[in-house]
Amino acid sequence: LRLGGKVVNISDVGNSSSVSKGESLEDTMRCLASYSDVLVVRHSEKGAPDRVMKACPNVPVLNAGDGSGEHPTQALLDLFTIYKEKGQKLSGLSITFVGDLKYGRTVHSLVPGLALFDDIKLNFVAPPSLQIPDEIVRAVKDRITNITIETF
């Protein structure tokens, strides 16, 4: 890596570590935190990065995706791409999300990110069974007042 960092990959943790003997995620991450400057957590369980943050309060934890929950690191990249492609602005945009909005963790993180900017219009288009969760819309309603939800 360019900045001299090293990666400790534990993607096969369930088969090759104490996790297979019953060690919790929190215990594993506390051990890794003792010799890490930053923990980047990508986990299949929704809320896993929050558990790691509570278990390791003195080490920064980056959420690289948690099940159907969130993917804030991807949201940062998406915001940068929109900024770059739309003439270095994020305010005054109309953005439409189409597809699986219920389990799409990138959408769950990008919508609150967009709420930081002015005059945003959001359109959500999905089948009723895959529509954007109400809690995502409620969380941004005070900042984004122009929200349309359509089904197909």
Side-chain angles (χ1 to χ4, degrees):
L1 297 171
R2 290 195 287 179
L3 296 177
K6 303 281 188 250
V7 174
V8 178
N9 187 340
I10 59 168
S11 61
D12 194 28
V13 70
N15 297 320
S16 62
S17 78
S18 295
V19 170
S20 62
K21 300 174 203 160
E23 182 177 82
S24 70
L25 171 66
E26 291 84 351
D27 288 340
T28 300
M29 299 311 283
R30 272 192 286 271
C31 178
L32 290 172
S34 69
Y35 56 91
S36 300
D37 296 313
V38 176
L39 297 171
V40 180
V41 179
R42 182 178 181 102
H43 198 279
S44 60
E45 182 185 318
K46 186 175 179 178
D50 292 331
R51 290 174 41 209
V52 173
M53 283 186 257
K54 289 177 185 152
C56 307
N58 298 321
V59 178
V61 176
L62 300 178
N63 180 348
D66 65 332
S68 64
E70 296 187 27
H71 200 329
T73 50
Q74 182 64 50
L76 288 172
L77 291 170
D78 292 344
L79 287 168
F80 176 72
T81 300
I82 295 167
Y83 176 82
K84 185 176 162 190
E85 295 298 320
K86 297 308 280 179
Q88 298 189 343
K89 70 174 191 165
L90 287 166
S91 296
L93 299 176
S94 176
I95 299 176
T96 301
F97 296 94
V98 180
D100 179 355
L101 308 179
K102 181 176 184 177
Y103 300 106
R105 64 186 179 195
T106 54
V107 174
H108 299 174
S109 293
L110 183 54
V111 169
L114 289 166
L116 299 172
F117 301 94
D118 296 324
D119 194 29
I120 296 289
K121 178 180 183 343
L122 295 180
N123 305 295
F124 300 106
V125 183
S129 62
L130 297 174
Q131 195 50 261
I132 190 80
D134 290 338
E135 63 267 16
I136 303 293
V137 175
R138 276 195 309 271
V140 299
K141 269 272 202 216
D142 61 326
R143 288 280 303 146
I144 302 176
T145 57
N146 196 346
I147 297 175
T148 304
I149 298 175
E150 300 286 337
T151 59
F152 60 87

Short mmCIF file of all heavy atoms in Angstrom, two decimals, residues 70-119:
data_model
loop_
_atom_site.label_atom_id
_atom_site.label_comp_id
_atom_site.label_asym_id
_atom_site.label_seq_id
_atom_site.Cartn_x
_atom_site.Cartn_y
_atom_site.Cartn_z
N GLU A 70 -25.91 -0.82 5.72
CA GLU A 70 -25.33 0.38 5.14
C GLU A 70 -24.02 0.08 4.43
O GLU A 70 -23.42 -0.98 4.63
CB GLU A 70 -25.09 1.43 6.23
CG GLU A 70 -26.36 1.90 6.89
CD GLU A 70 -26.12 3.05 7.85
OE1 GLU A 70 -25.14 3.80 7.64
OE2 GLU A 70 -26.91 3.20 8.77
N HIS A 71 -23.59 1.04 3.64
CA HIS A 71 -22.29 0.97 2.96
C HIS A 71 -21.78 2.40 2.79
O HIS A 71 -21.71 2.93 1.69
CB HIS A 71 -22.45 0.29 1.61
CG HIS A 71 -21.17 -0.26 1.05
ND1 HIS A 71 -19.94 0.32 1.28
CD2 HIS A 71 -20.93 -1.33 0.27
CE1 HIS A 71 -19.00 -0.38 0.66
NE2 HIS A 71 -19.59 -1.39 0.03
N PRO A 72 -21.42 3.07 3.91
CA PRO A 72 -21.03 4.48 3.85
C PRO A 72 -19.77 4.75 3.04
O PRO A 72 -19.65 5.83 2.45
CB PRO A 72 -20.86 4.89 5.31
CG PRO A 72 -20.78 3.63 6.07
CD PRO A 72 -21.44 2.56 5.27
N THR A 73 -18.83 3.82 2.99
CA THR A 73 -17.64 4.07 2.19
C THR A 73 -18.01 4.15 0.70
O THR A 73 -17.47 4.98 -0.03
CB THR A 73 -16.56 3.00 2.42
OG1 THR A 73 -17.15 1.69 2.30
CG2 THR A 73 -15.95 3.12 3.81
N GLN A 74 -18.95 3.33 0.26
CA GLN A 74 -19.42 3.41 -1.12
C GLN A 74 -20.18 4.71 -1.35
O GLN A 74 -20.08 5.33 -2.40
CB GLN A 74 -20.32 2.22 -1.46
CG GLN A 74 -20.82 2.22 -2.89
CD GLN A 74 -19.69 2.08 -3.90
OE1 GLN A 74 -18.87 1.19 -3.77
NE2 GLN A 74 -19.65 2.95 -4.90
N ALA A 75 -20.95 5.15 -0.34
CA ALA A 75 -21.69 6.41 -0.47
C ALA A 75 -20.73 7.58 -0.69
O ALA A 75 -21.02 8.48 -1.49
CB ALA A 75 -22.55 6.66 0.76
N LEU A 76 -19.59 7.58 -0.01
CA LEU A 76 -18.60 8.65 -0.23
C LEU A 76 -18.09 8.65 -1.67
O LEU A 76 -17.96 9.71 -2.29
CB LEU A 76 -17.42 8.48 0.74
CG LEU A 76 -17.70 8.82 2.20
CD1 LEU A 76 -16.51 8.42 3.07
CD2 LEU A 76 -18.01 10.29 2.36
N LEU A 77 -17.83 7.46 -2.19
CA LEU A 77 -17.39 7.37 -3.58
C LEU A 77 -18.49 7.82 -4.54
O LEU A 77 -18.23 8.50 -5.53
CB LEU A 77 -16.95 5.95 -3.91
CG LEU A 77 -15.66 5.48 -3.24
CD1 LEU A 77 -15.45 3.99 -3.44
CD2 LEU A 77 -14.48 6.26 -3.75
N ASP A 78 -19.73 7.43 -4.24
CA ASP A 78 -20.85 7.84 -5.09
C ASP A 78 -21.03 9.35 -5.06
O ASP A 78 -21.25 9.98 -6.11
CB ASP A 78 -22.14 7.16 -4.64
CG ASP A 78 -22.14 5.66 -4.89
OD1 ASP A 78 -21.28 5.17 -5.67
OD2 ASP A 78 -22.98 4.96 -4.30
N LEU A 79 -20.93 9.96 -3.88
CA LEU A 79 -21.04 11.42 -3.78
C LEU A 79 -19.93 12.11 -4.58
O LEU A 79 -20.18 13.09 -5.28
CB LEU A 79 -21.01 11.87 -2.32
CG LEU A 79 -22.25 11.58 -1.50
CD1 LEU A 79 -21.97 11.81 -0.02
CD2 LEU A 79 -23.42 12.42 -1.97
N PHE A 80 -18.73 11.58 -4.48
CA PHE A 80 -17.62 12.15 -5.25
C PHE A 80 -17.86 12.03 -6.74
O PHE A 80 -17.62 12.96 -7.51
CB PHE A 80 -16.29 11.49 -4.87
CG PHE A 80 -15.14 11.99 -5.69
CD1 PHE A 80 -14.64 13.27 -5.50
CD2 PHE A 80 -14.59 11.20 -6.69
CE1 PHE A 80 -13.59 13.75 -6.28
CE2 PHE A 80 -13.55 11.67 -7.47
CZ PHE A 80 -13.04 12.95 -7.26
N THR A 81 -18.35 10.87 -7.19
CA THR A 81 -18.62 10.67 -8.61
C THR A 81 -19.71 11.61 -9.11
O THR A 81 -19.57 12.23 -10.18
CB THR A 81 -19.02 9.20 -8.88
OG1 THR A 81 -17.95 8.35 -8.47
CG2 THR A 81 -19.33 8.97 -10.36
N ILE A 82 -20.78 11.76 -8.34
CA ILE A 82 -21.85 12.69 -8.72
C ILE A 82 -21.29 14.11 -8.79
O ILE A 82 -21.54 14.85 -9.75
CB ILE A 82 -23.03 12.62 -7.74
CG1 ILE A 82 -23.70 11.24 -7.81
CG2 ILE A 82 -24.05 13.72 -8.02
CD1 ILE A 82 -24.67 10.96 -6.67
N TYR A 83 -20.51 14.49 -7.80
CA TYR A 83 -19.89 15.82 -7.74
C TYR A 83 -19.03 16.07 -9.00
O TYR A 83 -19.12 17.11 -9.64
CB TYR A 83 -19.04 15.91 -6.48
CG TYR A 83 -18.25 17.17 -6.31
CD1 TYR A 83 -18.85 18.32 -5.80
CD2 TYR A 83 -16.91 17.21 -6.64
CE1 TYR A 83 -18.11 19.49 -5.63
CE2 TYR A 83 -16.16 18.37 -6.47
CZ TYR A 83 -16.77 19.51 -5.97
OH TYR A 83 -16.04 20.65 -5.81
N LYS A 84 -18.22 15.10 -9.33
CA LYS A 84 -17.31 15.21 -10.48
C LYS A 84 -18.09 15.27 -11.80
O LYS A 84 -17.79 16.08 -12.67
CB LYS A 84 -16.36 14.02 -10.46
CG LYS A 84 -15.29 14.04 -11.50
CD LYS A 84 -14.38 12.85 -11.30
CE LYS A 84 -13.57 12.59 -12.56
NZ LYS A 84 -12.86 11.33 -12.51
N GLU A 85 -19.08 14.41 -11.93
CA GLU A 85 -19.81 14.31 -13.19
C GLU A 85 -20.84 15.42 -13.39
O GLU A 85 -21.22 15.72 -14.51
CB GLU A 85 -20.50 12.94 -13.30
CG GLU A 85 -19.53 11.77 -13.38
CD GLU A 85 -18.63 11.83 -14.62
OE1 GLU A 85 -19.12 12.19 -15.70
OE2 GLU A 85 -17.43 11.52 -14.48
N LYS A 86 -21.30 16.03 -12.32
CA LYS A 86 -22.34 17.08 -12.42
C LYS A 86 -21.75 18.48 -12.25
O LYS A 86 -22.42 19.39 -11.76
CB LYS A 86 -23.45 16.84 -11.39
CG LYS A 86 -24.22 15.55 -11.60
CD LYS A 86 -24.74 15.37 -13.00
CE LYS A 86 -25.99 16.13 -13.27
NZ LYS A 86 -26.49 15.97 -14.63
N GLY A 87 -20.52 18.66 -12.64
CA GLY A 87 -19.94 20.01 -12.65
C GLY A 87 -19.58 20.54 -11.28
O GLY A 87 -19.75 21.72 -11.00
N GLN A 88 -19.07 19.68 -10.42
CA GLN A 88 -18.60 20.04 -9.09
C GLN A 88 -19.68 20.68 -8.24
O GLN A 88 -19.47 21.69 -7.58
CB GLN A 88 -17.36 20.91 -9.17
CG GLN A 88 -16.22 20.19 -9.84
CD GLN A 88 -14.91 20.93 -9.75
OE1 GLN A 88 -14.86 22.11 -9.47
NE2 GLN A 88 -13.84 20.22 -10.00
N LYS A 89 -20.86 20.04 -8.28
CA LYS A 89 -21.93 20.49 -7.39
C LYS A 89 -22.72 19.28 -6.94
O LYS A 89 -22.77 18.25 -7.61
CB LYS A 89 -22.84 21.49 -8.08
CG LYS A 89 -23.70 20.90 -9.19
CD LYS A 89 -24.68 21.92 -9.72
CE LYS A 89 -25.70 21.22 -10.62
NZ LYS A 89 -26.85 22.02 -10.88
N LEU A 90 -23.31 19.40 -5.79
CA LEU A 90 -24.20 18.36 -5.28
C LEU A 90 -25.57 18.94 -4.92
O LEU A 90 -26.51 18.20 -4.72
CB LEU A 90 -23.59 17.66 -4.07
CG LEU A 90 -22.43 16.72 -4.42
CD1 LEU A 90 -21.66 16.32 -3.17
CD2 LEU A 90 -22.94 15.49 -5.14
N SER A 91 -25.68 20.23 -4.83
CA SER A 91 -26.96 20.87 -4.53
C SER A 91 -27.78 21.03 -5.80
O SER A 91 -27.25 21.12 -6.90
CB SER A 91 -26.73 22.24 -3.89
OG SER A 91 -26.08 22.09 -2.65
N GLY A 92 -29.11 21.05 -5.63
CA GLY A 92 -30.00 21.29 -6.75
C GLY A 92 -30.16 20.13 -7.71
O GLY A 92 -30.54 20.32 -8.86
N LEU A 93 -29.90 18.93 -7.26
CA LEU A 93 -29.99 17.77 -8.14
C LEU A 93 -31.26 16.98 -7.91
O LEU A 93 -31.81 16.95 -6.80
CB LEU A 93 -28.79 16.85 -7.92
CG LEU A 93 -27.41 17.44 -8.21
CD1 LEU A 93 -26.33 16.44 -7.85
CD2 LEU A 93 -27.30 17.87 -9.66
N SER A 94 -31.73 16.32 -8.96
CA SER A 94 -32.83 15.37 -8.87
C SER A 94 -32.24 13.99 -9.13
O SER A 94 -31.63 13.76 -10.18
CB SER A 94 -33.89 15.69 -9.93
OG SER A 94 -34.92 14.72 -9.90
N ILE A 95 -32.39 13.09 -8.17
CA ILE A 95 -31.76 11.78 -8.25
C ILE A 95 -32.83 10.71 -8.09
O ILE A 95 -33.65 10.76 -7.18
CB ILE A 95 -30.66 11.63 -7.19
CG1 ILE A 95 -29.59 12.70 -7.45
CG2 ILE A 95 -30.07 10.23 -7.20
CD1 ILE A 95 -28.49 12.75 -6.45
N THR A 96 -32.81 9.74 -9.00
CA THR A 96 -33.78 8.65 -8.98
C THR A 96 -33.07 7.33 -8.69
O THR A 96 -32.07 7.00 -9.33
CB THR A 96 -34.52 8.55 -10.33
OG1 THR A 96 -35.18 9.80 -10.57
CG2 THR A 96 -35.53 7.43 -10.34
N PHE A 97 -33.60 6.61 -7.73
CA PHE A 97 -33.10 5.28 -7.37
C PHE A 97 -34.12 4.27 -7.86
O PHE A 97 -35.31 4.40 -7.56
CB PHE A 97 -32.94 5.14 -5.85
CG PHE A 97 -31.91 6.07 -5.26
CD1 PHE A 97 -32.29 7.30 -4.75
CD2 PHE A 97 -30.57 5.71 -5.22
CE1 PHE A 97 -31.35 8.16 -4.20
CE2 PHE A 97 -29.63 6.57 -4.67
CZ PHE A 97 -30.02 7.79 -4.16
N VAL A 98 -33.67 3.24 -8.58
CA VAL A 98 -34.57 2.24 -9.15
C VAL A 98 -34.07 0.85 -8.77
O VAL A 98 -32.87 0.58 -8.86
CB VAL A 98 -34.61 2.36 -10.70
CG1 VAL A 98 -35.53 1.30 -11.29
CG2 VAL A 98 -35.03 3.75 -11.14
N GLY A 99 -35.00 -0.02 -8.36
CA GLY A 99 -34.63 -1.42 -8.11
C GLY A 99 -34.86 -1.83 -6.68
O GLY A 99 -35.82 -1.42 -6.04
N ASP A 100 -33.95 -2.65 -6.18
CA ASP A 100 -34.06 -3.18 -4.82
C ASP A 100 -33.59 -2.12 -3.83
O ASP A 100 -32.41 -2.00 -3.53
CB ASP A 100 -33.21 -4.45 -4.69
CG ASP A 100 -33.25 -5.04 -3.29
OD1 ASP A 100 -33.86 -4.44 -2.38
OD2 ASP A 100 -32.67 -6.13 -3.10
N LEU A 101 -34.52 -1.35 -3.33
CA LEU A 101 -34.19 -0.27 -2.39
C LEU A 101 -34.31 -0.72 -0.94
O LEU A 101 -33.79 -0.07 -0.04
CB LEU A 101 -35.10 0.93 -2.66
CG LEU A 101 -35.12 1.41 -4.12
CD1 LEU A 101 -36.06 2.59 -4.28
CD2 LEU A 101 -33.73 1.75 -4.60
N LYS A 102 -34.98 -1.84 -0.72
CA LYS A 102 -35.15 -2.35 0.64
C LYS A 102 -33.84 -2.92 1.18
O LYS A 102 -33.48 -2.69 2.33
CB LYS A 102 -36.24 -3.43 0.65
CG LYS A 102 -36.51 -4.01 2.01
CD LYS A 102 -37.66 -4.99 1.99
CE LYS A 102 -37.98 -5.50 3.38
NZ LYS A 102 -39.14 -6.39 3.35
N TYR A 103 -33.14 -3.68 0.37
CA TYR A 103 -31.92 -4.34 0.81
C TYR A 103 -30.66 -3.68 0.24
O TYR A 103 -29.55 -4.12 0.55
CB TYR A 103 -31.94 -5.82 0.42
CG TYR A 103 -33.09 -6.56 1.03
CD1 TYR A 103 -34.19 -6.94 0.26
CD2 TYR A 103 -33.11 -6.85 2.39
CE1 TYR A 103 -35.26 -7.61 0.82
CE2 TYR A 103 -34.18 -7.51 2.97
CZ TYR A 103 -35.25 -7.89 2.17
OH TYR A 103 -36.32 -8.55 2.74
N GLY A 104 -30.80 -2.64 -0.57
CA GLY A 104 -29.66 -1.99 -1.19
C GLY A 104 -28.92 -1.09 -0.22
O GLY A 104 -29.27 0.08 -0.05
N ARG A 105 -27.89 -1.62 0.41
CA ARG A 105 -27.20 -0.88 1.47
C ARG A 105 -26.53 0.38 0.97
O ARG A 105 -26.34 1.33 1.71
CB ARG A 105 -26.22 -1.78 2.20
CG ARG A 105 -25.10 -2.29 1.34
CD ARG A 105 -24.26 -3.27 2.10
NE ARG A 105 -23.19 -3.77 1.25
CZ ARG A 105 -22.49 -4.82 1.54
NH1 ARG A 105 -22.71 -5.49 2.65
NH2 ARG A 105 -21.53 -5.21 0.76
N THR A 106 -26.15 0.43 -0.32
CA THR A 106 -25.52 1.65 -0.82
C THR A 106 -26.54 2.80 -0.84
O THR A 106 -26.20 3.93 -0.52
CB THR A 106 -24.92 1.45 -2.23
OG1 THR A 106 -25.92 0.93 -3.10
CG2 THR A 106 -23.76 0.48 -2.17
N VAL A 107 -27.79 2.49 -1.19
CA VAL A 107 -28.85 3.50 -1.18
C VAL A 107 -29.10 3.97 0.25
O VAL A 107 -29.27 5.16 0.51
CB VAL A 107 -30.15 2.95 -1.81
CG1 VAL A 107 -31.29 3.94 -1.67
CG2 VAL A 107 -29.92 2.58 -3.25
N HIS A 108 -29.09 3.04 1.21
CA HIS A 108 -29.34 3.37 2.61
C HIS A 108 -28.30 4.36 3.14
O HIS A 108 -28.60 5.14 4.06
CB HIS A 108 -29.33 2.12 3.48
CG HIS A 108 -30.37 1.12 3.11
ND1 HIS A 108 -30.44 -0.12 3.69
CD2 HIS A 108 -31.40 1.17 2.21
CE1 HIS A 108 -31.45 -0.79 3.17
NE2 HIS A 108 -32.05 -0.03 2.26
N SER A 109 -27.10 4.34 2.59
CA SER A 109 -26.06 5.27 3.02
C SER A 109 -26.00 6.53 2.16
O SER A 109 -25.68 7.61 2.66
CB SER A 109 -24.68 4.58 2.97
OG SER A 109 -24.62 3.56 3.94
N LEU A 110 -26.30 6.40 0.87
CA LEU A 110 -26.21 7.55 -0.02
C LEU A 110 -27.31 8.58 0.26
O LEU A 110 -27.06 9.79 0.22
CB LEU A 110 -26.27 7.10 -1.48
CG LEU A 110 -26.11 8.18 -2.54
CD1 LEU A 110 -24.83 9.00 -2.33
CD2 LEU A 110 -26.13 7.55 -3.93
N VAL A 111 -28.51 8.12 0.59
CA VAL A 111 -29.62 9.06 0.84
C VAL A 111 -29.30 10.02 1.99
O VAL A 111 -29.44 11.23 1.83
CB VAL A 111 -30.95 8.30 1.05
CG1 VAL A 111 -32.04 9.23 1.55
CG2 VAL A 111 -31.38 7.64 -0.26
N PRO A 112 -28.83 9.56 3.15
CA PRO A 112 -28.46 10.52 4.20
C PRO A 112 -27.30 11.43 3.79
O PRO A 112 -27.26 12.60 4.19
CB PRO A 112 -28.05 9.63 5.39
CG PRO A 112 -28.71 8.33 5.13
CD PRO A 112 -28.78 8.18 3.65
N GLY A 113 -26.40 10.93 2.96
CA GLY A 113 -25.33 11.77 2.47
C GLY A 113 -25.85 12.89 1.58
O GLY A 113 -25.41 14.03 1.68
N LEU A 114 -26.81 12.57 0.74
CA LEU A 114 -27.41 13.59 -0.13
C LEU A 114 -28.18 14.63 0.68
O LEU A 114 -28.29 15.78 0.27
CB LEU A 114 -28.32 12.93 -1.15
CG LEU A 114 -27.61 12.13 -2.25
CD1 LEU A 114 -28.59 11.26 -3.00
CD2 LEU A 114 -26.87 13.07 -3.19
N ALA A 115 -28.70 14.23 1.84
CA ALA A 115 -29.47 15.15 2.69
C ALA A 115 -28.61 16.28 3.24
O ALA A 115 -29.14 17.27 3.74
CB ALA A 115 -30.13 14.38 3.83
N LEU A 116 -27.31 16.17 3.13
CA LEU A 116 -26.41 17.22 3.60
C LEU A 116 -26.36 18.41 2.64
O LEU A 116 -25.81 19.45 2.97
CB LEU A 116 -24.99 16.66 3.79
CG LEU A 116 -24.86 15.55 4.83
CD1 LEU A 116 -23.46 14.96 4.79
CD2 LEU A 116 -25.20 16.07 6.21
N PHE A 117 -26.97 18.25 1.45
CA PHE A 117 -26.89 19.29 0.43
C PHE A 117 -28.27 19.91 0.20
O PHE A 117 -29.29 19.32 0.51
CB PHE A 117 -26.30 18.70 -0.86
CG PHE A 117 -24.93 18.14 -0.61
CD1 PHE A 117 -24.76 16.80 -0.31
CD2 PHE A 117 -23.82 18.96 -0.62
CE1 PHE A 117 -23.51 16.28 -0.03
CE2 PHE A 117 -22.55 18.46 -0.35
CZ PHE A 117 -22.40 17.12 -0.05
N ASP A 118 -28.28 21.12 -0.35
CA ASP A 118 -29.51 21.88 -0.52
C ASP A 118 -30.25 21.51 -1.80
O ASP A 118 -29.63 21.12 -2.80
CB ASP A 118 -29.20 23.38 -0.55
CG ASP A 118 -28.62 23.87 0.77
OD1 ASP A 118 -29.05 23.37 1.82
OD2 ASP A 118 -27.73 24.75 0.74
N ASP A 119 -31.57 21.67 -1.74
CA ASP A 119 -32.43 21.58 -2.91
C ASP A 119 -32.28 20.25 -3.65
O ASP A 119 -32.12 20.21 -4.86
CB ASP A 119 -32.16 22.76 -3.85
CG ASP A 119 -33.24 22.92 -4.91
OD1 ASP A 119 -34.39 22.55 -4.63
OD2 ASP A 119 -32.91 23.40 -6.01
#
